[in-house]
């Protein structure tokens, strides 16, 4: 054991009742005791090495018949989600023109969708709403937060919408006409395709995953969690919980007038697309 390390430990407040020599002595005794009882992991007959951050098993060595082994494995690797509300921002001026990217404001209809969300979730305590850095998610979240008792908004760059590079601000029609090679290549493999000077679903995967880690860490793993995101980002978030073949992820249905409710525990993985609008509007496709 490094002496400098022991010196630093011995100077902590909790050892202030001991002289430096006594603190050193007490540490050395403790270390000798640990050494005398230590059993190296290599001698273990049964061992599961876990990455608790990622919730996955790194190494498994089971020599005996362990009762409920499958169950233990399941408990270690299941991320418990009490309630995750995955929302898309309300309608924007860019949405009206079928334009991608940019940092557009909500339209009147978008603001009324945000108000409808606020009413709908008014009785559900949401301590934190996670958004991207874009105005459309922040404006939607601000309306919801206004109807909550205590609610903060945390914007995560990891949840920014897919960056369309040279195609930012263009409509899908303009891309087809002016950059047909982009439209065709994207059509052939939408998941792997990366926009020139921009991103693709595949290249967003890591950052979205990192964003989710922040969400769980900041919300203490057990609160009602709300994310107000974007079409492509929300598809990636959903696919983090519910397995979909990669080629299907860019086509997951992600409307603006409904939201996904996810609940995951050791017994079930439940996800449901729910409406928050009232009356006839609730059934309109978005
Ligand atoms: O602005 C980008 C779009 O919301 C992403 O949708 O991947 O289906 O083109 P897309």
């Amino acid at each position: 054991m490094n002496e400098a390390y022991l010196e630093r430990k011995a100077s902590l407040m909790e050892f202030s009742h001991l002289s430096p020599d006594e603190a050193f002595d007490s540490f050395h005794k403790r270390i000798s005791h640990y050494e005398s009882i230590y059993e190296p992991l290599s001698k273990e007959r049964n061992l599961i090495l876990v990455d608790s951050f990622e919730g996955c098993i790194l190494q498994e060595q089971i020599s005996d018949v362990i009762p409920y082994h499958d169950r233990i494995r399941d408990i270690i690797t299941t991320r418990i989600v009490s309630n995750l509300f995955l929302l898309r921002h309300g309608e924007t001026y860019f949405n009206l023109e079928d334009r991608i990217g940019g940092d557009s404001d909500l339209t009147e209809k978008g603001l009324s969708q945000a108000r409808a969300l606020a009413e709908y979730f008014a009785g559900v305590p949401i301590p934190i709403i996670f958004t991207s850095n874009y105005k459309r998610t922040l404006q939607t979240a601000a309306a919801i937060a206004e109807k909550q008792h205590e609610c903060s908004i945390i914007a995560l760059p990891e949840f920014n919408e897919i960056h369309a590079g040279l195609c930012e601000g263009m409509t899908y029609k303009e891309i087809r006409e002016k950059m047909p090679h982009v439209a065709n290549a994207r059509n052939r493999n939408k998941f792997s395709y990366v926009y020139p000077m921009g991103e693709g679903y595949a290249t967003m995967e890591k950052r979205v995953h990192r964003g989710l880690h922040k969400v769980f860490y900041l919300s203490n793993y057990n609160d009602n969690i709300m994310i107000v995101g974007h079409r492509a980002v929300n598809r990636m978030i959903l696919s983090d919980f519910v397995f979909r073949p990669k080629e299907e992820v860019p086509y997951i249905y992600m409307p603006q007038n409904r939201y996904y409710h996810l609940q995951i525990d050791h017994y079930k993985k439940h996800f449901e697309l729910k409406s928050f609008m009232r009356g006839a509007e609730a059934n309109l496709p978005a």
Side-chain angles (χ1 to χ4, degrees):
M1 175 74 61
N2 180 323
E3 290 296 306
Y5 175 74
L6 280 190
E7 214 169 288
R8 197 177 64 77
K9 292 280 282 181
S11 65
L12 293 176
M13 265 301 275
E14 61 191 282
F15 299 109
S16 55
H17 62 291
L18 300 176
S19 72
D21 279 351
E22 285 168 338
F24 256 68
D25 194 39
S26 144
F27 265 116
H28 279 298
K29 275 197 188 124
R30 223 183 310 167
I31 291 163
S32 319
H33 172 67
Y34 291 144
E35 281 169 351
S36 72
I37 58 167
Y38 178 71
E39 285 180 27
L41 262 187
S42 55
K43 285 193 187 158
E44 274 296 332
R45 290 179 55 76
N46 304 300
L47 143 81
I48 302 179
L49 190 61
V50 175
D51 179 339
S52 54
F53 189 67
E54 286 292 344
C56 65
I57 292 172
L58 298 171
Q59 191 197 332
E60 202 175 21
Q61 166 197 305
I62 304 292
S63 312
D64 301 324
V65 175
I66 309 264
Y68 306 114
H69 176 217
D70 283 352
R71 196 78 191 91
I72 293 169
R73 225 201 230 147
D74 185 47
I75 287 169
I76 291 170
T77 53
T78 304
R79 179 165 48 190
I80 305 288
V81 178
S82 315
N83 286 298
L84 170 61
F85 306 109
L86 182 63
L87 282 54
R88 226 183 124 192
H89 58 80
E91 183 193 76
T92 66
Y93 291 99
F94 265 32
N95 289 151
L96 277 181
E97 298 172 13
D98 210 17
R99 225 169 262 289
I100 61 173
D103 193 11
S104 185
D105 287 293
L106 296 186
T107 59
E108 261 318 307
K109 181 177 167 189
L111 288 169
S112 98
Q113 286 168 329
R115 285 192 292 269
L117 277 166
E119 289 297 337
Y120 181 90
F121 282 104
V124 184
I126 313 281
I128 309 175
I129 305 177
F130 296 92
T131 67
S132 73
N133 289 126
Y134 291 120
K135 287 191 285 182
R136 50 199 190 272
T137 60
L138 288 162
Q139 289 169 2
T140 308
I144 301 168
E146 223 171 84
K147 292 275 174 190
Q148 293 282 320
H149 275 306
E150 272 183 46
C151 173
S152 44
I153 296 173
I154 298 182
L156 299 177
E158 286 86 352
F159 291 158
N160 286 353
E161 182 56 315
I162 190 168
H163 195 271
L166 297 182
C167 299
E168 277 281 303
M170 292 173 80
T171 65
Y172 287 107
K173 186 164 175 277
E174 282 167 354
I175 298 174
R176 278 196 302 276
E177 286 167 2
K178 295 181 187 159
M179 304 176 85
H181 56 287
V182 169
N184 292 336
R186 197 164 192 253
N187 263 346
R188 275 196 298 276
N189 190 342
K190 197 172 169 188
F191 186 84
S192 304
Y193 183 78
V194 177
Y195 280 109
M197 314 283 287
E199 290 183 298
Y201 280 84
T203 61
M204 277 200 310
E205 204 169 9
K206 275 208 179 105
R207 71 161 163 97
V208 172
H209 191 66
R210 195 173 56 239
L212 276 172
H213 272 305
K214 286 190 183 177
V215 165
F216 286 105
Y217 180 74
L218 293 168
S219 50
N220 209 13
Y221 287 84
N222 48 21
D223 286 321
N224 290 334
I225 298 173
M226 178 176 281
I227 301 174
V228 181
H230 303 263
R231 182 160 56 182
V233 154
N234 282 10
R235 286 170 175 157
M236 296 303 295
I237 292 174
L238 194 63
S239 68
D240 208 88
F241 298 100
V242 185
F243 175 76
R244 280 279 176 283
K246 288 201 184 306
E247 63 276 15
E248 285 179 19
V249 172
Y251 299 98
I252 294 174
Y253 185 47
M254 199 56 68
Q256 269 167 324
N257 61 356
R258 277 174 242 185
Y259 71 95
Y260 280 98
H261 181 192
L262 281 94
Q263 291 177 303
I264 300 168
D265 62 25
H266 300 303
Y267 303 98
K268 66 173 188 306
K269 196 176 250 193
H270 179 90
F271 74 106
E272 196 178 344
L273 185 59
K274 289 181 169 172
S275 179
F276 58 85
M277 306 290 280
R278 296 188 202 290
E281 254 190 293
N283 300 316
L284 291 179

